[in-house]
Amino acid sequence: MSLPRQLREKSDFDQLPDDVPVSANIADIEEKKGFTNYYLFVIEVKIKSGGRYLIFRRYRQFYALHTKLEERYGAESKSSPFTCTLPILPGKVYVGAKKEIAESRIPILNVYMKNLLCLPAWVLMDEEVRLFFYHSDFDSEQVPRRLRRLRPRTRRVKSILPELPVLDRMAAPRAEALFDFAGTNKLELSFKKGDLIYLLSRVNKDWLEGTVNNTTGIFPCAFVKIIKDLPQQEDTVNKVRCYYHDETVSTIRDISVEEDLSSIPLFNDLMELIRREFDQDDIVLNYRDLDGDLIRLLSDQDIELMVSQSRSKPSEKHMFPWKLHITHKDDFSVYNTSPEMGAIHTVRAT
């Protein structure tokens, strides 16, 4: 089945919910400093109701989405009674400058998203597709530095969110107008006493941004009664705690990374980060297992085990629950090779 013949019938489109994405366009790329430096695609999403917002996605998220869609709906899928011809996703690139690679992917990914959003309604309603285009808390926390490729008619940096679907309105931050308010310029939101205003962001201690009657703008806090407040804005920079063990002393260093606390780093990326931070090549990474012994990390599987074991441990805010212990490559005295001698050979962090 060719892509043009898969386009949705008008009746199918009419039955889709108002928050379903209908178009997406990459507005820019942004470099982030995580376990390794990487680029995010800043994507402007338009939904059926006419609202627009920005989401931030890595190429690996495109790849993961496409892999799952191939498993479910690809021509060779055996898990679903429905199949279709999926658009082509550009393959992974392992050699080259990351910025140039990201830039070169923009037009191809734009075509990919355009064709993806033209697929049958049952693909658009797939949970993975919905999550990919969903405006998450992570997206809300991001502040785009520039939007070089944003279409001229929507060149405002501040995204305008639509009113939420009916099923989500009771959970949305909102306020009730106590008095009439007439905005004095295009940025200010006008409303009448008793209007229900859905809150989008806090401008400062005196002003909020919200939407009512399909209009978005800012307004003074004193004119409304908060029914459900906006969540506290979280810092998107988290930290990895490292204990560096030398011959005579152990020191602690917290390394900042722009990564979600639930993310699992690759071994090579983590090794490169630590070597760069400590400016040493002859070091190795370790973690403490559930018995308190140091275990050397050698592979991605070791990293996954470390992360898995750390999930049951309490952690500080904005700190990864797992901790790294850095030792010299040839120093094997830190490992507990004899059960009865564990207290002697295990280096305890201070």
Side-chain angles (χ1 to χ4, degrees):
M1 183 187 299
S2 63
L3 275 173
R5 297 189 64 180
Q6 294 181 143
L7 296 178
R8 299 183 299 271
E9 297 292 338
K10 188 175 186 301
S11 59
D12 291 337
F13 182 77
D14 290 341
Q15 294 177 37
L16 290 172
D18 285 344
D19 65 338
V20 73
V22 294
S23 70
N25 181 68
I26 295 175
D28 211 338
I29 58 172
E30 290 196 357
E31 185 178 17
K32 296 290 184 180
K33 299 184 184 298
F35 299 116
T36 183
N37 289 7
Y38 62 93
Y39 280 87
L40 283 174
F41 294 97
V42 185
I43 305 168
E44 181 198 34
V45 178
K46 180 182 177 182
I47 58 177
K48 182 185 170 186
S49 66
R52 299 172 188 268
Y53 52 79
L54 297 177
I55 61 173
F56 298 73
R57 299 292 181 265
R58 297 176 70 166
Y59 171 78
R60 66 170 60 171
Q61 291 171 285
F62 278 94
Y63 189 85
L65 170 67
H66 187 74
T67 301
K68 290 174 181 176
L69 293 180
E70 282 280 9
E71 292 172 355
R72 295 180 186 177
Y73 309 118
E76 300 180 3
S77 172
K78 297 180 181 179
S79 61
S80 172
F82 303 104
T83 60
C84 62
T85 303
L86 296 170
I88 298 173
L89 181 73
K92 291 183 176 181
V93 178
Y94 297 97
V95 179
K98 292 181 180 180
K99 183 176 182 179
E100 283 71 19
I101 292 172
E103 290 279 8
S104 68
R105 281 174 168 160
I106 290 176
I108 308 174
L109 290 176
N110 277 336
V111 172
Y112 177 81
M113 291 188 292
K114 177 182 177 181
N115 291 334
L116 178 64
L117 295 176
C118 286
L119 292 179
W122 39 268
V123 177
L124 294 190
M125 295 305 294
D126 182 273
E127 180 184 10
E128 299 298 335
V129 176
R130 300 275 280 169
L131 285 174
F132 181 86
F133 289 104
Y134 177 70
H135 189 261
S136 66
D137 291 341
F138 170 80
D139 298 316
S140 301
E141 294 164 1
Q142 306 304 305
V143 179
R145 298 183 180 92
R146 54 182 183 167
L147 298 171
R148 296 171 302 155
R149 296 170 177 265
L150 199 61
R151 295 185 180 94
R153 69 177 185 276
T154 55
R155 196 170 287 278
R156 288 181 62 196
V157 172
K158 185 65 181 179
S159 59
I160 299 176
L161 298 181
E163 288 196 44
L164 299 176
V166 174
L167 292 178
D168 294 330
R169 287 182 179 175
M170 294 306 293
R174 59 198 186 279
E176 181 184 351
L178 296 175
F179 315 98
D180 293 353
F181 178 71
T184 58
N185 56 56
K186 292 182 179 180
L187 293 178
E188 295 181 1
L189 180 69
S190 299
F191 49 78
K192 299 290 186 182
K193 179 181 177 181
D195 280 350
L196 192 62
I197 304 166
Y198 290 94
L199 306 179
L200 302 179
S201 67
R202 185 174 295 279
V203 180
N204 55 40
K205 65 183 181 67
D206 298 318
W207 288 77
L208 291 163
E209 182 186 31
T211 180
V212 64
N213 299 325
N214 294 321
T215 304
T216 297
I218 62 174
F219 57 92
C221 305
F223 279 69
V224 301
K225 177 180 73 175
I226 302 294
I227 298 174
K228 182 173 182 180
D229 206 352
L230 290 157
Q232 287 292 110
Q233 203 165 33
E234 294 292 327
D235 192 346
T236 57
V237 176
N238 296 306
K239 295 181 179 180
V240 178
R241 175 150 295 173
C242 300
Y243 298 89
Y244 177 73
H245 301 287
D246 209 341
E247 293 179 358
T248 56
V249 66
S250 293
T251 58
I252 299 175
R253 183 184 300 183
D254 292 333
I255 300 175
S256 299
V257 292
E258 294 179 288
E259 297 275 4
D260 187 85
L261 288 175
S262 62
S263 60
I264 301 176
L266 297 176
F267 172 75
N268 288 336
D269 291 344
L270 195 57
M271 192 78 242
E272 181 182 347
L273 172 67
I274 300 303
R275 282 174 175 165
R276 185 171 64 246
E277 286 289 330
F278 285 89
D279 194 24
Q280 292 195 49
D281 290 328
D282 64 335
I283 55 176
V284 291
L285 307 182
N286 308 270
Y287 75 99
R288 288 202 183 280
D289 67 7
L290 298 178
D291 294 323
D293 297 325
L294 282 186
I295 306 296
R296 182 174 290 193
L297 296 163
L298 300 171
S299 66
D300 290 342
Q301 289 73 26
D302 292 341
I303 298 286
E304 291 172 6
L305 179 60
M306 172 186 72
V307 173
S308 175
Q309 290 188 1
S310 71
R311 285 176 180 148
S312 60
K313 301 177 182 177
S315 61
E316 301 174 42
K317 191 174 183 181
H318 297 308
M319 297 291 297
F320 283 87
W322 42 270
K323 311 292 187 291
L324 291 177
H325 293 261
I326 295 95
T327 59
H328 289 279
K329 185 184 299 183
D330 298 328
D331 183 7
F332 295 97
S333 65
V334 299
Y335 302 109
N336 178 13
T337 56
S338 175
E340 68 275 9
M341 298 295 288
I344 297 175
H345 289 285
T346 300
V347 176
R348 298 293 177 183
T350 57

